[in-house]
Amino acid sequence: MAAPESQNLATPSALRNAFGSVLSVLILVLIGVLAFSIRLFSVIKYESVIHEFDPYFNYRVTQFLSKNGIYEFWNWFDDRTWYPLGRVIGGTVYPGLTLTAGTIWWVVNSLNIPLSVETVCVFTAPVFSAFASWATYLLTKEVKGSGAGLAAAALLAMVPSYISRSVAGSYDNEAVAIFALIFTFYLYIKTLNTGSLFYATLNALAYFYMVCSWGGYTFIINLIPMHVLMCIVTGRYSPRLYIAYAPFVVLGTLLAALVPVVGFNAVLTSEHFASFLVFIIIHVVALVYYIKGNLSPKMFKVAVTLVVSIGLVVCFIVVAVLVALVASSPTKGWSGRSLSLLDPTYASKYIPIIASVSEHQPPTWPSYFMDINVLAFLVPAGIVACFSPLSDASSFVILYIVMSVYFSGVMVRLMLVFAPAACIMSGIALSQAFDVFTGSIKYQLGGSSKSKDDAEDNTSTNNAPKDDASTGKTDKVEEIAKERSSKKGKKKEREPAEKPSIRSKIAKKKALVLPLEASIVALLLLIMLGAFYVIHCVWAAAEAYSAPSIVLTSQNRDGLHVFDDFRESYAWLSHNTDVDDKVASWWDYGYQTTAMANRTVIVDNNTWNNTHIATVGTAMSSPEKAAWEIFNSLDVKYVLVVFGGLIGYPSDDINKFLWMVRIGGGEFSHIKEADYLRDGQYRIDSEATPTMLNCLMYKLSYYRFVETDGKGYDRVRRTEIGKKNFKLTHFDEVFTSHHWMVRIYKLKPQKNRIRGRVKKLKSKTSSGSFTKTEKKNPWI
Amino acid sequence: MAINKKLLSLLFLLAAVLSSSAIAASFSDSDSDSDLINELVSLRSSSESGVIRLDDHGISKFLTSASTPRPYSMLVFFDATQLHSKSELRLQELRREFGIVSASFLANNNGSAGTKLFFTEIEFSKCQSSFQLFGVNALPHIRLVSPTIKNLRDESGQMDQSDFSRLAESMAEFVEQRTKLTVGPIQRPPLLSKGQISILISLIVIATPFVIKRILKGETLLHDRRLWLSGAIFIYFFSVAGTMHNIIRKMPMFLQDRNDPNKLVFFYQGSGMQLGAEGFAVGFLYTVVGLLLAFVTNVLVRVKNLNAQRLVMLLALFVSFWAVKKVVYLDNWKTGYGIHPYWPSSWR
């Protein structure tokens, strides 16, 4: 921290700085503990399990990695999913998360600490949240000093938006990616402040880690060039900027291309072109500055015209090439998601599948209050603070928050990228406010002696409840002074300049005071605001974001009910079926089935093959016989449906059924959505259409349902079902879980009378109907 | 028997005469049909983007008096110049999109398929009787008259609100669904014509050296920090107010109360949706607290007069406190969450 300065300052202040350093390390450790422990609600309230859907896939990949090693993992072709196609896992995943958890597991085990892979996976996200808050400290410290850094770190440790993606058990890419994002930004700013090639290299490596972890790396590769361009345009070009940017682009792009899932996209898609364009521009600008430094002003004017014109020609050629490249690709080189960021109405117009995902909806104002809470109030103050004075680092943070707040306004999912920026800004604002208010109080209470002023600086760090905000405020101001001339090699120049600056600062501070009582009130209000934030975050972590969705609970008059049907049925599958049996279900449950039951599935959550999904959708929407034929042709032995009608679990297959019809109908035209709707309404009661009442999904969901209460009352749809007593002809019920949430059916074996049946068909010579049914099945 | 035979032959004769006359009739029909088509094609080629402007006479000629089944479908756009000023009807926009569909259809269907569908428009002030003929009394209205329709009041060919919600794309889908013809990819005219683009590029090329010179000297608007500051704050306000949500969902600024039409509803209960005014109000509350804090810590500190400081600061504190309280209240009301702290159980 402030160690280098302390050597040259007088002893009391050296002691103070040393004390400050120790204290801030202590605070940082506590922040880490806070970040880790606030995410443990899911383990305490439920148990140590992996959550939801995608994390199960990541967990399974990690298991494979820890069992078979890195090379096997890299070349892994998975035949237990997307049967009969399979999936190349090694080349289609972002490996960062898996490799991280695998490494942690390996290290821990080689230290003879016997943790299971699952435990490591469950706690990866909380551990990395602690890392992320430390990275936030580093980043904010580079911008506005360690006081702001500590405040920002504390805020980030419990910001609800980030908690939602990183509770214990939420083993997903974002868990490590947010840390990587912040750390990359920190290293960029560090390079910018120091001009050190060492940090520039580290920056490229951090970027590589980010590319490995999450598709959101495109945010970095666009934000940093934008900042560089902004610096150039506003006349802030410096050799440090060049060192921060040029190695980053070259190394970063080369490293990014190493990740199989990115590969040549790193140079071929439009998301990356901004960085290359800026790369050219910065070279032109660097050349101009170099020539300017070497020539007399007069000669420079001549040279400038020369260089500018040549540079422009080169630029235009390159731009033309880029434009041609972009124009030659169908989507103009932009992926649909990126386009919907630039033109928010794009997705709703052209890509309904992107627009339909709830994560991609634009947020309303309560989302901001839920996800960043009171930080929304503090951010503007932080922005203003960053403008006074404006440095390279603070301009970067401003750009970061402006871009991310805009993107979060388009897609609620990107709130996750916005949250760190909001924490940094709020940390800066809080720190500045505490600085001013405590300073005013101190000055008026403690008289005007300089020594007292110094001593109180220390005491204030101890007493305030939000002490982390005010701890390093002395460092902070020094830091700002430092930033102006901060270059690693210029330490000597800086030191003499420092003493007068501190003195003038103290003199200035005396002039800059606010009324005592008003300051106290303001301080109290700020502390109240912080307390409210803490309450909200703890509540959000405990109530809103901790449900693992694999185990459900409900609280009613009789007490707590636990619904553990999913694991019950996956366990049934793994114990009662053959290892090579194929299980068909809607894609939502694909990852879980492969990971928990270890059975081959037809489709899973990696929705890469629409036709395959449509085939399953078609089978689910077909009558029993046709469905049996489709499933049989896919070697399916068991069909799994999720049914919530008995206990009122709303996200069951009947509620998702229209999507199956739509997706199925998109590929196989004999499935028509209108056949399943009565006057445009989706219903399953006696008014439902015959197609609906005869389709496989209806039958598998409601088979024997009437036996439960005698009426067949569906508690999700709040109605009695339309067709109550029916028998299954082609399927056998083999398992129904405790609360009927999961029902598993086995395909009946083909009948022995098959030969007779064929004969009968032949004699009928009604080949038309026969081929028709065959045609419906795309797998024959 | 003889009588029977005679009768039979007579019957045959009758049948032959009848059939031949029918054939002749159909021949003459196809003749007039091709005439009609030729006339329509020539009309189409002379009109902008292939949308034929019909009047009462044209309607009767091509629709009412032409015998069914007509050899073509006709898509009729009902326009009214006097209603162009009413922006909520979006007549001009729809008319433009209609033209785009028509032009795309023409560009993608050169052969015989091109004569199976004609895009026409009729204007209210010139052909009121046709409007009555179609029974149209509300706009926007687009009607597909398929070949078999005899009674023009038959509204089966009417394009629903949902069919032009996505403008040209959904219109084309509607047409494809109903007529079994393919419209093909929608070809929108480029935003700028080629001449405009070349002028723009040359302007940019000429201006670049000057701009670069200004930038090197550091005296553009871009060097004004206040501009950047206000821009940043504005984007922040714009986003946290959920304006993107309002734009994408086309939310109105406020609603009318269903029970009491004189009352306006500014706040919508339920977290999935928000109204325009509501978003701006809360966005303003979000922003104003931070700006007041920044004002106090950056500007007010420098004020020398202690009483002025005190007054302004207390005012700022009061406003901030009220704003935060208001937002918390509104959020609890809108989302229905009960946010509560967790106290140690021994404290209860």
Side-chain angles (χ1 to χ4, degrees):
Chain A
M1 266 191 56
E5 294 104 288
S6 57
Q7 291 161 8
N8 295 289
L9 290 176
T11 352
S13 77
L15 200 70
R16 195 191 65 189
N17 276 334
F19 185 64
S21 303
V22 172
L23 199 64
S24 43
V25 169
L26 189 71
I27 292 170
L28 276 177
V29 170
L30 287 177
I31 288 174
V33 171
L34 169 68
F36 183 83
S37 51
I38 200 173
R39 287 165 170 82
L40 297 185
F41 277 109
S42 58
V43 174
I44 295 166
K45 287 185 73 175
Y46 298 88
E47 58 185 294
S48 173
V49 281
I50 310 273
H51 288 195
E52 296 192 314
F53 306 107
D54 284 26
Y56 268 98
F57 170 74
N58 297 325
Y59 168 51
R60 183 163 160 261
V61 176
T62 315
Q63 268 183 324
F64 184 89
L65 171 72
S66 58
K67 202 183 276 174
N68 298 302
I70 175 93
Y71 290 106
E72 285 291 316
F73 160 69
W74 213 247
N75 297 318
W76 184 18
F77 177 80
D78 184 12
D79 58 356
R80 301 208 75 91
T81 179
W82 291 97
Y83 182 84
L85 308 170
R87 176 186 168 194
V88 187
I89 301 268
T92 56
V93 292
Y94 285 101
L97 174 77
T98 323
L99 290 177
T100 309
T103 316
I104 295 176
W105 178 83
W106 180 79
V107 168
V108 163
N109 271 270
S110 45
L111 292 174
N112 284 329
I113 304 173
L115 286 183
S116 69
V117 177
E118 189 183 3
T119 314
V120 171
C121 291
V122 166
F123 292 103
T124 300
V127 167
F128 267 80
S129 316
F131 292 167
S133 40
W134 293 334
T136 310
Y137 164 75
L138 291 172
L139 171 59
T140 319
K141 191 185 149 209
E142 284 300 315
V143 180
K144 281 280 172 185
S146 43
L150 287 171
L155 293 176
L156 186 104
M158 48 187 170
V159 67
S161 169
Y162 185 29
I163 288 181
S164 72
R165 294 315 194 95
S166 62
V167 292
S170 172
Y171 180 55
D172 212 346
N173 288 336
E174 288 92 336
V176 297
I178 294 303
F179 158 71
L181 181 89
I182 302 171
F183 198 61
T184 311
F185 287 156
Y186 156 67
L187 284 170
Y188 171 69
I189 290 182
K190 185 81 185 169
T191 324
L192 203 55
N193 280 344
T194 58
S196 140
L197 215 51
F198 170 71
Y199 284 114
T201 318
L202 281 188
N203 187 20
L205 288 175
Y207 173 65
F208 175 56
Y209 184 64
M210 177 71 193
V211 178
C212 281
S213 308
W214 196 34
Y217 74 90
T218 43
F219 183 66
I220 298 182
I221 200 63
N222 282 303
L223 189 69
I224 291 182
M226 277 178 71
H227 177 243
V228 171
L229 198 64
M230 195 175 88
C231 282
I232 291 173
V233 168
T234 53
R236 293 184 152 270
Y237 172 82
S238 64
R240 288 175 287 118
L241 188 71
Y242 182 85
I243 293 170
Y245 186 65
F248 163 73
V249 168
V250 176
L251 282 177
T253 306
L254 283 176
L255 288 170
L258 288 182
V259 183
V261 64
V262 177
F264 277 103
N265 283 347
V267 286
L268 288 180
T269 54
S270 299
E271 277 95 345
H272 305 82
F273 283 171
S275 61
F276 303 136
L277 194 66
V278 173
F279 187 68
I280 295 164
I281 293 175
I282 199 173
H283 274 93
V284 172
V285 172
L287 192 64
V288 169
Y289 273 87
Y290 175 72
I291 293 169
K292 194 180 185 178
N294 280 345
L295 295 179
S296 63
K298 218 179 195 179
M299 283 292 285
F300 176 68
K301 260 191 180 168
V302 181
V304 124
T305 31
L306 198 75
V307 171
V308 162
S309 46
I310 293 175
L312 276 182
V313 168
V314 174
C315 263
F316 271 107
I317 291 170
V318 174
V319 168
V321 170
L322 283 184
V323 167
L325 265 179
V326 170
S328 65
S329 72
T331 56
K332 306 283 175 243
W334 290 83
S335 64
R337 273 189 201 136
S338 315
L339 270 180
S340 60
L341 281 183
L342 298 180
D343 172 14
T345 51
Y346 176 85
S348 57
K349 267 190 212 154
Y350 302 105
I351 336 172
I353 200 83
I354 288 189
S356 70
V357 179
S358 65
E359 283 187 330
H360 296 158
Q361 303 302 324
T364 51
W365 68 263
S367 318
Y368 284 95
F369 199 71
M370 180 69 195
D371 276 356
I372 59 170
N373 200 245
V374 303
L375 304 189
F377 295 112
L378 295 171
V379 169
I383 295 178
V384 175
C386 280
F387 271 97
S388 51
L390 193 67
S391 65
D392 289 348
S394 67
S395 67
F396 178 77
V397 188
I398 292 165
L399 193 67
Y400 176 25
I401 192 140
V402 167
M403 298 311 293
S404 61
V405 79
Y406 168 74
F407 288 153
S408 74
V410 179
M411 260 189 213
V412 70
R413 181 183 190 189
L414 294 174
M415 200 76 95
L416 192 60
V417 177
F418 168 59
C423 291
I424 292 165
M425 282 299 178
S426 310
I428 290 169
L430 265 186
S431 157
Q432 192 195 29
F434 272 110
D435 200 16
V436 169
F437 294 142
T438 51
S440 311
I441 295 170
K442 228 180 321 179
Y443 173 69
Q444 289 169 55
L445 282 184
S448 56
S449 81
K450 204 199 294 174
S451 59
K452 246 186 181 172
D453 202 32
D454 279 356
E456 275 162 5
D457 255 3
N458 259 339
T459 51
S460 80
T461 58
N462 294 329
N463 54 21
K466 290 290 292 179
D467 51 356
D468 36 6
S470 49
T471 328
K473 72 182 169 222
T474 42
D475 299 328
K476 192 199 88 179
V477 190
E478 287 163 12
E479 208 78 32
I480 295 166
K482 194 173 69 182
E483 265 160 22
R484 295 260 174 79
S485 62
S486 62
K487 278 180 201 172
K488 211 181 175 186
K490 288 198 173 174
K491 208 187 280 174
K492 274 175 208 157
E493 284 174 33
R494 195 175 64 226
E495 277 152 11
E498 211 149 71
K499 272 180 194 167
S501 90
I502 288 176
R503 213 158 277 156
S504 67
K505 177 199 83 191
I506 290 166
K508 228 166 136 194
K509 211 175 187 179
K510 279 169 196 159
L512 301 181
V513 284
L514 290 166
L516 175 67
E517 63 287 345
S519 300
I520 293 175
V521 174
L523 214 52
L524 285 175
L525 283 181
L526 270 184
I527 290 167
M528 269 171 65
L529 200 68
F532 183 77
Y533 178 70
V534 174
I535 289 173
H536 176 89
C537 294
V538 172
W539 174 83
E543 301 287 329
Y545 293 136
S546 283
S549 92
I550 188 99
V551 187
L552 307 166
T553 56
S554 83
Q555 188 96 41
N556 61 3
R557 273 165 280 130
D558 319 334
L560 189 73
H561 285 269
V562 178
F563 304 101
D564 203 0
D565 288 35
F566 285 109
R567 288 192 297 179
E568 182 190 349
S569 20
Y570 292 132
W572 184 90
L573 271 178
S574 75
H575 285 296
N576 296 286
T577 60
D578 192 62
V579 177
D580 288 326
D581 282 345
K582 280 80 184 166
V583 180
S585 65
W586 190 235
W587 58 262
D588 294 24
Y589 312 103
Y591 278 164
Q592 292 181 349
T593 312
T594 40
M596 291 164 86
N598 190 24
R599 293 296 172 266
T600 308
V601 295
I602 307 298
V603 289
D604 69 21
N605 310 43
N606 179 271
T607 51
W608 65 275
N609 187 328
N610 196 38
T611 318
H612 220 53
I613 294 182
T615 310
V616 175
T618 306
M620 293 295 191
S621 357
S622 303
E624 233 181 297
K625 184 161 176 268
W628 185 91
E629 274 162 8
I630 294 177
F631 279 142
N632 191 49
S633 69
L634 285 167
D635 284 352
V636 169
K637 275 272 177 58
Y638 297 93
V639 179
L640 179 151
V641 293
V642 172
F643 171 64
L646 185 70
I647 53 154
Y649 170 61
S651 50
D652 64 349
D653 277 348
I654 291 285
N655 271 5
K656 292 171 187 166
F657 182 60
L658 272 192
W659 280 107
M660 305 185 201
V661 174
R662 271 176 213 145
I663 295 173
E667 297 281 333
F668 306 109
S669 54
H670 66 278
I671 303 285
K672 291 187 192 69
E673 190 180 339
D675 294 344
Y676 298 84
L677 302 176
R678 174 74 71 194
D679 302 329
Q681 271 191 322
Y682 178 60
R683 49 202 308 172
I684 45 98
D685 53 6
S686 47
E687 291 289 300
T689 59
T691 325
M692 179 69 215
L693 294 179
N694 281 315
C695 73
L696 184 70
M697 180 49 73
Y698 180 89
K699 285 193 163 178
L700 297 191
S701 289
Y702 293 115
Y703 178 61
R704 292 199 307 113
F705 181 52
V706 73
E707 293 168 22
T708 53
D709 59 351
K711 281 188 296 187
Y713 183 79
D714 186 322
R715 289 172 65 177
V716 177
R717 268 65 59 177
R718 294 167 191 282
T719 173
E720 270 183 41
I721 59 172
K723 197 170 160 188
K724 293 173 183 171
N725 299 301
F726 54 86
K727 290 222 161 68
L728 296 175
T729 53
H730 290 73
F731 293 86
D732 277 326
E733 183 190 6
V734 287
F735 176 78
T736 293
S737 65
H738 186 61
H739 301 96
W740 285 52
M741 278 172 65
V742 182
R743 313 194 67 183
I744 301 173
Y745 294 84
K746 191 177 185 178
L747 273 74
K748 278 188 181 168
Q750 267 174 326
K751 282 181 183 152
N752 279 335
R753 290 184 286 123
I754 186 78
R755 183 179 283 203
R757 202 179 60 138
V758 170
K759 237 184 218 166
K760 216 193 279 169
L761 280 169
K762 264 185 190 163
S763 66
K764 265 189 181 171
T765 64
S766 58
S767 58
S769 68
F770 188 64
T771 47
K772 220 178 179 179
T773 50
E774 275 214 321
K775 224 180 184 177
K776 280 177 188 174
N777 179 356
W779 293 100
I780 293 181
Chain B
M1 280 306 269
I3 301 167
N4 246 356
K5 255 188 185 166
K6 240 183 186 171
L7 207 74
L8 212 71
S9 59
L10 208 75
L11 263 176
F12 267 120
L13 199 77
L14 203 74
V17 167
L18 272 179
S19 63
S20 67
S21 69
I23 289 165
S26 70
F27 267 124
S28 69
D29 243 27
S30 67
D31 255 12
S32 67
D33 280 353
S34 62
D35 279 353
L36 282 179
I37 288 182
N38 283 335
E39 201 177 339
L40 278 172
V41 168
S42 74
L43 274 175
R44 178 164 72 182
S45 58
S46 65
S47 54
E48 184 202 356
S49 72
V51 178
I52 305 165
R53 185 167 268 267
L54 289 179
D55 47 12
D56 287 339
H57 174 66
I59 290 288
S60 75
K61 183 173 178 188
F62 295 116
L63 288 177
T64 35
S65 56
S67 58
T68 52
R70 290 176 289 268
Y72 45 78
S73 314
M74 202 172 262
L75 197 64
V76 190
F77 184 89
F78 295 84
D79 199 5
T81 325
Q82 71 224 42
L83 293 178
H84 281 187
S85 55
K86 291 201 171 180
S87 58
E88 70 268 19
L89 293 180
R90 303 197 300 160
L91 274 181
Q92 282 171 305
E93 186 191 1
L94 288 172
R95 173 62 187 80
R96 222 179 305 121
E97 296 292 318
F98 188 74
I100 289 171
V101 179
S102 164
S104 315
F105 176 76
L106 268 184
N108 296 324
N109 294 282
N110 289 323
S112 60
T115 62
K116 291 221 174 90
L117 175 68
F118 290 93
F119 290 76
T120 58
E121 64 171 331
I122 54 176
E123 213 284 317
F124 180 70
S125 57
K126 283 174 195 153
C127 18
Q128 296 190 4
S129 62
S130 297
F131 268 63
Q132 279 172 7
L133 203 62
F134 280 100
V136 172
N137 40 27
L139 293 182
H141 193 111
I142 303 174
R143 176 87 64 84
L144 179 75
V145 185
S146 49
T148 50
I149 284 188
K150 279 190 189 133
N151 181 9
L152 290 182
R153 283 182 172 271
D154 181 359
E155 294 203 340
S156 63
Q158 189 189 339
M159 216 183 252
D160 283 338
Q161 197 76 36
S162 63
D163 287 317
F164 42 76
S165 61
R166 283 186 297 124
L167 305 176
E169 282 75 12
S170 54
M171 284 189 204
E173 269 170 30
F174 170 83
V175 170
E176 290 184 351
Q177 212 176 32
R178 294 298 181 91
T179 61
K180 312 290 179 223
L181 297 168
T182 48
V183 176
I186 300 294
Q187 296 168 349
R188 288 180 184 277
L191 218 56
L192 298 165
S193 68
K194 273 183 185 162
Q196 282 169 316
I197 289 177
S198 56
I199 290 173
L200 264 183
I201 287 182
S202 56
L203 270 182
I204 291 171
V205 168
I206 294 168
T208 328
F210 295 100
V211 172
I212 288 179
K213 205 176 166 192
R214 296 282 306 264
I215 287 174
L216 287 180
K217 278 188 179 170
E219 48 190 41
T220 49
L221 260 182
L222 293 174
H223 291 80
D224 190 351
R225 283 198 290 130
R226 271 166 300 177
L227 186 83
W228 287 95
L229 175 63
S230 40
I233 298 281
F234 174 74
I235 292 178
Y236 179 77
F237 162 74
F238 184 81
S239 300
V240 290
T243 316
M244 298 317 289
H245 173 271
N246 296 343
I247 293 175
I248 294 173
R249 296 284 154 76
K250 301 200 176 70
M251 296 305 292
M253 289 305 273
F254 46 78
L255 292 174
Q256 254 176 7
D257 199 334
R258 255 186 222 156
N259 306 325
D260 179 8
N262 293 327
K263 243 172 79 181
L264 295 175
V265 178
F266 287 99
F267 284 85
Y268 181 90
Q269 198 164 12
S271 60
M273 217 171 86
Q274 72 171 27
L275 299 173
E278 170 187 1
F280 286 125
V282 180
F284 174 72
L285 292 183
Y286 278 151
T287 318
V288 77
V289 176
L291 287 181
L292 282 176
L293 186 64
F295 175 75
V296 168
T297 52
N298 287 309
V299 180
L300 200 62
V301 182
R302 290 171 217 285
V303 174
K304 287 278 185 299
N305 186 340
L306 207 67
N307 274 330
Q309 275 187 334
R310 193 167 286 142
L311 197 71
V312 174
M313 211 174 146
L314 287 178
L315 194 70
L317 286 177
F318 175 74
V319 171
S320 308
F321 184 75
W322 174 80
V324 173
K325 219 178 145 218
K326 195 79 197 162
V327 171
V328 172
Y329 164 75
L330 279 173
D331 182 66
N332 285 340
W333 171 79
K334 192 173 172 73
T335 58
Y337 292 139
I339 296 163
H340 55 86
Y342 294 85
W343 302 114
S345 42
S346 59
W347 288 15
R348 274 183 207 152

